[in-house]
Amino acid sequence: MGETKFRKKMYKSGKFWVAAGMTALTVGVVGAQRVGLPVFTDGLQEASAATVTSPLTIDQVTDADTQAGASRTVNWNGSSAWNNSDVTGLGTYNGSTWTADRTYGGQSKDPAGATYVKLVANGASTAGYLYLTRQFDATKTFTITGYLHPNVKDADTWMTRDYSDWTGLLLTPTDPNKVASSYDFGSKGGGGLGIEGMKNAFALGVDFHKNSDKNDPAEGPFAALRTTNSSGTLTATQGLQNNVAGTATYTDGYNLTNWNTTIKYTLTWNPTGGPNGGPSIKATMTPTGTRNSEKTSWTVDTAAGKVTLPSVSALTFGLNAINGQNKNDQFASIDSVSGTMATGTTTVNYVDTSGKVIKTATSFIGSVGETVGITGLSSDASTADYTFGAPTIRGYKASSATNSVKISQTASANVITIKYTALPF
């Protein structure tokens, strides 16, 4: 299946803006420091780039965010979440590779005013993802709210069995830009909920179709929290525990055909609360209307249910929908995000033109998903989140640097190399 990604290109205060740095003739490159607005703020505004120069060089950096004056703790509204998100897709639709649609139908809004993304259209064997480009630090609490809308644009009817395969939220340790490519859609289809094969992942949402081979507990549509184990296999669902309300990981005892198709979700991750002090999830799904005296909401509480969840250090959040042979439009949105962003470590190498090490490598941390480059040397420095100068090395002049690194969880993939040319005696 094909995969595509669409990155929103716009000036926004979800990034720091940089301009060209200054180059000293024979003593190296002076670092550039970003300005103005904090990286993670609420109510983001479009902004123009500004130039501030600084003597800070990459070997002086131990924490890119802290040393740029930014906090990794975020409190985003829908607009901020939109500006710090991206979309991707799997499969083909009308002969073209499918990706989720951020502009369909003039960008319709959810009841809280956030913009819906069209995750899938009415084409078979397609999947769409909307995901945050930063990861959560899973050793700290975080909360996300928004809406699922398994229906056509601006319509609100009652949910039906086999409307699609799945719509919901996903949490996965996978790096943000690898969310879709990590899912084996060809073999897992809709039954894998977009997470099967990913180790220690979570899915919360509406399952429209019963897949007995996936241990689905009932005919759809039903709500469920599903997890994968350390091998990436979907674990069995869990029903009501000892008749205690709120302990089932699926809508035990009723389906959702009496819910309408505009559903608010709230999910809170807690690094404690579970068995043996492990992590826990409390999530609620609430439709804007019901019929036939149906329950008006459903809450899953893994702490109350004593459900053991896998411990992870970082999680990517996304919304996804999957059409198998059951195919229809589905939309979703993010209204608010609060939590702390996860970090990755980047190594910086300093070599001469033959590759010989001329300065001991240094390292720094930064938020997963950020891009960091070297001012005046990285060819894509003007689009990086941060740039810093190349340090002075006696007898050499900085001559080139690799492209900006996009920080991931995988330290071995996070490498910047700066090359230096020897100066004549």
Side-chain angles (χ1 to χ4, degrees):
M1 295 292 179
E3 178 195 3
T4 61
K5 292 199 300 179
F6 167 78
R7 182 170 178 81
K8 192 173 185 182
K9 297 291 188 183
M10 62 179 292
Y11 286 119
K12 59 180 182 291
S13 60
K15 304 175 76 173
F16 277 117
W17 300 99
V18 299
M22 298 169 56
T23 303
L25 292 178
T26 61
V27 295
V29 179
V30 178
Q33 186 180 41
R34 285 115 234 109
V35 298
L37 302 171
V39 172
F40 302 120
T41 58
D42 211 335
L44 297 182
Q45 302 293 324
E46 292 189 351
S48 297
T51 303
V52 174
T53 59
S54 166
L56 194 65
T57 54
I58 195 70
D59 59 333
Q60 299 171 307
V61 178
T62 57
D63 184 324
D65 294 314
T66 298
Q67 289 175 274
S71 172
R72 277 190 286 272
T73 299
V74 308
N75 187 16
W76 291 336
N77 62 9
S79 175
S80 305
W82 178 270
N83 287 338
N84 288 278
S85 65
D86 208 340
V87 294
T88 185
L90 295 168
T92 58
Y93 179 67
N94 288 341
S96 300
T97 303
W98 172 255
T99 187
D101 190 345
R102 295 174 71 112
T103 60
Y104 177 81
Q107 298 184 325
S108 60
K109 305 292 185 179
D110 72 14
T115 303
Y116 276 125
V117 168
K118 186 176 185 180
L119 296 175
V120 288
N122 60 344
S125 301
T126 53
Y129 296 78
L130 165 68
Y131 61 94
L132 296 180
T133 56
R134 303 290 192 262
Q135 275 193 319
F136 285 111
D137 181 346
T139 68
K140 297 179 173 62
T141 298
F142 61 82
T143 299
I144 314 105
T145 71
Y147 282 84
L148 303 175
H149 185 71
N151 206 330
V152 297
K153 178 179 178 288
D154 297 331
D156 200 7
T157 56
W158 308 112
M159 288 204 289
T160 59
R161 182 165 299 161
D162 292 337
Y163 175 83
S164 178
D165 270 342
W166 168 262
T167 185
L169 295 62
L170 64 87
L171 294 169
T172 174
T174 307
D175 281 321
N177 62 340
K178 296 180 180 178
V179 167
S181 60
S182 296
Y183 184 58
D184 184 1
F185 192 35
S187 64
K188 305 300 182 184
L193 311 183
I195 64 167
E196 189 173 14
M198 300 179 191
K199 299 177 181 179
N200 299 327
F202 309 84
L204 173 83
V206 179
D207 198 329
F208 292 95
H209 178 74
K210 183 176 181 178
N211 293 93
S212 298
D213 61 323
K214 304 298 183 183
N215 297 310
D216 287 353
E219 297 292 340
F222 62 91
L225 173 69
R226 302 297 300 271
T227 65
T228 62
N229 59 23
S230 59
S231 298
T233 303
L234 276 177
T235 57
T237 53
Q238 184 176 23
L240 202 67
Q241 301 298 297
N242 299 317
N243 294 317
V244 176
T247 61
T249 56
Y250 61 93
T251 45
D252 191 16
Y254 66 104
N255 63 35
L256 303 183
T257 55
N258 291 317
W259 278 21
N260 67 10
T261 53
T262 302
I263 304 167
K264 182 176 182 178
Y265 65 81
T266 299
L267 181 145
T268 296
W269 167 274
N270 194 317
T272 61
N276 301 314
S280 59
I281 288 175
K282 186 171 184 178
T284 298
M285 300 175 65
T286 305
T288 56
T290 63
R291 63 180 178 178
N292 297 338
S293 301
E294 189 57 86
K295 295 178 182 179
T296 57
S297 67
W298 171 68
T299 296
V300 58
D301 185 341
T302 64
K306 302 187 185 306
V307 177
T308 299
L309 300 180
S311 294
V312 291
S313 59
L315 286 168
T316 298
F317 169 75
L319 295 164
N320 73 319
I322 302 175
N323 286 341
Q325 295 308 305
N326 304 311
K327 53 187 188 298
N328 279 292
D329 291 1
Q330 299 202 56
F331 294 79
S333 63
I334 304 172
D335 287 328
S336 67
V337 176
S338 62
T340 301
M341 299 293 101
T343 62
T345 300
T346 296
T347 298
V348 185
N349 297 317
Y350 310 90
V351 301
D352 66 11
T353 53
S354 67
K356 177 184 175 182
V357 174
I358 57 174
K359 176 181 170 66
T360 302
T362 60
S363 64
F364 64 88
I365 63 171
S367 295
V368 171
E370 286 176 346
T371 51
V372 179
I374 305 302
T375 308
L377 297 178
S378 297
S379 62
D380 57 353
S382 63
T383 61
D385 293 303
Y386 306 119
T387 68
F388 299 95
T392 297
I393 299 178
R394 186 175 182 178
Y396 292 89
K397 178 182 178 180
S399 56
S400 65
T402 52
N403 287 342
S404 302
V405 66
K406 187 167 188 175
I407 300 172
S408 69
Q409 293 181 51
T410 308
S412 61
N414 304 334
V415 178
I416 296 173
T417 298
I418 305 175
K419 286 189 176 181
Y420 288 77
T421 301
L423 294 173
F425 292 105

